[in-house]
């Protein structure tokens, strides 16, 4: 029965990315009716899940921590493409979209995904165990990137409003690329063992205890299907984005909620993969996915929007409000206290989830 289910899953995850591309070609640049929007949304969700599957196949082939890096970068490519395409069409009302989406990604990953994985791992295995050296380095990088890109614009004076001047934006973009590159080199080359799962006794687990990894041919096929799935997600999401924005406006919600919805959508693959890893007592892999996505979201999005700002009209607002800065500081502080011991109980997971709930509440009712 299990081989038949696997074969069915393989056919499904191969068909959906192709279907997404076909549907994208049929709907590109057209006004969509309610029925078509529902169909596009369903295929988009399927493409997201297919992307998760193919990213995990590639991850299983290359091993940890490379696997977490593949999925984090793939998800961030979706996010960056969505932000840039929506900003290109949105004018002045999209001036805060990059800030809102990136901050939403940080809150979702550092509180939502991280808290859910700690809670899942601790409830299932009594204590969630991870490597404090690698996780601490990741959290420090996320905190630095967030401060340089999202906090400082609120206090700079070279340009009125919470915006960077051209020179400041260039510095922030270059700093983001350098820090992200240094982290990737640390994670994959120099201190790879800091980012591998550990046992309760502190021993590094350098091998997956699951089935034998896929062949190189299978991994290459999954790489191609992953690319198709990502293109489909980006294009289809752009097609339904007017519906999302009009729905937010009709509900009387702040425009920042659009950024939250986009971040929730593109981080769905990451959430599924991270919770699966936590259930297998691979909490370090979960944290690699969560913090790696937060880091990639800032480290790749800020340079992308900095380049896009050359031809995009309207301002680029990156500075956070005082309320969001409080949430960011509290997230970093609580995250530090969570990471230092190298193990967590359900309490730590619950604390992070409460912070995430507070962020959602303030996004809807600022």
């Amino acid at each position: 029965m299990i081989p038949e289910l696997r074969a069915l899953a393989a056919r499904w995850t191969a068909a959906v990315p192709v279907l997404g591309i076909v549907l994208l070609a049929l709907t590109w640049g057209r006004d969509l009716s309610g029925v078509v929007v529902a169909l596009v949304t369903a295929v988009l969700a399927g493409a997201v899940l297919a992307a998760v599957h193919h990213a995990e196949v590639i991850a299983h082939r290359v091993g940890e921590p490379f696997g977490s890096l593949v999925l984090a970068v793939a998800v961030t490519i979706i996010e960056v493409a969505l932000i840039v395409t929506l900003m290109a069409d949105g004018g002045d009302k999209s001036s805060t979209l990059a800030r809102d989406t990136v901050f939403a990604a940080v809150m979702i990953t550092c509180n939502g995904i991280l808290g859910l994985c700690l809670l899942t791992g601790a409830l299932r295995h009594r204590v969630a165990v991870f490597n404090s050296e690698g996780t601490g380095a990741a959290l420090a990088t996320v905190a630095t990137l967030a401060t340089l890109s999202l906090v400082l614009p609120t206090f700079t004076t070279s340009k009125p409003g919470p915006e960077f001047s051209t020179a400041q934006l260039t510095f922030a973009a270059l700093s983001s690329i350098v820090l992200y590159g240094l982290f990737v080199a640390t994670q994959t080359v120099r201190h790879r063992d800091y980012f591998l799962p550990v046992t309760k006794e502190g021993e590094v687990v350098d091998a997956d205890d699951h089935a034998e990894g896929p062949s190189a041919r299978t991994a290459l096929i999954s790489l191609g299907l992953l690319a198709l799935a990502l293109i489909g997600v980006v294009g289809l999401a752009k097609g339904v984005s007017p519906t999302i924005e009009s729905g937010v406006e009709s509900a009387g919600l702040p425009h920042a909620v659009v950024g939250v919805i986009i971040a929730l959508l593109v981080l769905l693959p990451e959430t599924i993969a991270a919770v699966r890893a936590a259930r297998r007592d691979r909490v370090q892999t979960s944290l690699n996915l969560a913090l790696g996505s937060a880091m990639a979201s800032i480290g790749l999005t800020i340079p992308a929007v900095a380049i896009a700002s050359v031809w995009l009209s309207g301002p680029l607002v990156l500075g956070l409000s005082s309320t969001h800065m409080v949430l960011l500081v509290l997230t970093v502080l609580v995250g530090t206290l969570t990471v230092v011991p190298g193990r967590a109980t359900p309490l730590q997971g619950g604390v992070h989830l409460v912070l995430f709930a507070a962020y959602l509440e303030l996004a809807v009712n600022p």
Side-chain angles (χ1 to χ4, degrees):
M1 186 65 178
I2 292 179
E4 286 80 359
L5 291 175
R6 288 178 177 173
L8 179 62
R11 289 194 294 270
W12 177 81
T13 54
V16 169
V18 177
L19 177 61
I21 295 298
V22 173
L23 188 58
L24 175 60
L26 294 175
T27 58
W28 183 260
R30 300 183 180 181
D31 293 330
L32 306 182
S33 64
V35 175
V36 176
V37 168
L39 176 62
V40 168
T41 303
V43 174
L44 191 154
V48 168
L49 296 177
V52 174
H53 170 78
H54 294 299
E56 288 186 335
V57 170
I58 298 169
H60 197 187
R61 172 68 184 179
V62 300
E64 282 297 323
F66 299 96
S68 301
L69 183 64
V70 169
L71 186 53
V73 172
V75 168
T76 305
I77 289 172
I78 298 175
E79 180 185 354
V80 172
L82 280 173
I83 291 172
V84 173
T85 53
L86 291 177
M87 288 181 68
D89 295 338
D92 289 344
K93 69 177 182 179
S94 297
S95 61
T96 62
L97 183 63
R99 178 199 67 186
D100 295 337
T101 306
V102 170
F103 183 66
V106 172
M107 290 292 106
I108 292 168
T109 53
C110 294
N111 286 319
I113 299 178
L114 188 145
L116 185 59
C117 291
L118 291 180
L119 185 62
T120 300
L123 288 176
R124 191 174 179 85
H125 304 283
R126 189 174 176 81
V127 176
V129 181
F130 49 89
N131 194 318
S132 59
E133 287 93 341
T135 309
L139 181 62
T141 307
V142 170
T144 302
L145 286 172
T147 302
L148 291 178
S149 302
L150 302 177
V151 175
L152 286 183
T154 304
F155 299 100
T156 54
T157 57
S158 297
K159 195 171 183 179
E163 301 177 43
F164 272 144
S165 66
T166 302
Q168 291 167 342
L169 182 60
T170 302
F171 174 78
L174 292 176
S175 298
S176 298
I177 293 174
V178 169
L179 282 177
Y180 186 63
L182 282 173
F183 176 80
V184 170
T186 301
Q187 183 185 36
T188 59
V189 181
R190 191 163 183 92
H191 296 288
R192 176 173 172 265
D193 55 316
Y194 286 3
F195 300 90
L196 294 175
V198 294
T199 65
K200 289 181 173 60
E201 293 74 29
E203 297 177 359
V204 174
V205 180
D206 198 7
D208 200 331
D209 57 3
H210 292 270
E212 182 180 351
S215 64
R217 179 175 177 273
T218 301
L220 286 175
I221 292 173
S222 285
L223 182 62
L225 290 172
L226 174 62
L228 288 180
L230 296 181
I231 294 171
V233 169
V234 171
L236 295 175
K238 184 178 185 297
V240 300
S241 61
T243 304
I244 295 175
E245 292 182 343
S246 62
V248 169
E249 291 178 1
S250 300
L253 298 175
H255 193 265
V257 175
V258 175
V260 177
I261 294 174
I262 292 172
L264 286 170
L265 175 65
V266 300
L267 288 171
L268 179 60
E270 208 79 357
T271 305
I272 296 172
V275 172
R276 285 178 180 174
R279 288 176 59 84
R280 301 196 310 266
D281 202 19
R282 296 291 186 264
V283 177
Q284 182 61 53
T285 301
S286 301
L287 300 186
N288 290 346
L289 287 166
L291 296 176
S293 289
M295 199 180 310
S297 179
I298 306 172
L300 300 181
T301 301
I302 298 302
V305 297
I307 295 173
S309 65
V310 174
W311 72 82
L312 292 178
S313 60
L316 177 61
V317 177
L318 292 177
L320 294 174
S321 66
S322 56
T323 302
H324 285 168
M325 279 190 280
V326 170
L327 284 175
L328 179 61
V329 170
L330 188 56
T331 296
V332 173
L333 177 60
V334 172
T336 302
L337 296 176
T338 298
V339 165
V340 168
R343 56 184 58 224
T345 65
L347 174 60
Q348 282 95 330
V351 171
H352 282 281
L353 288 176
V354 167
L355 280 176
F356 178 57
Y359 163 71
L360 292 179
E361 167 63 21
L362 291 171
V364 174
N365 295 300

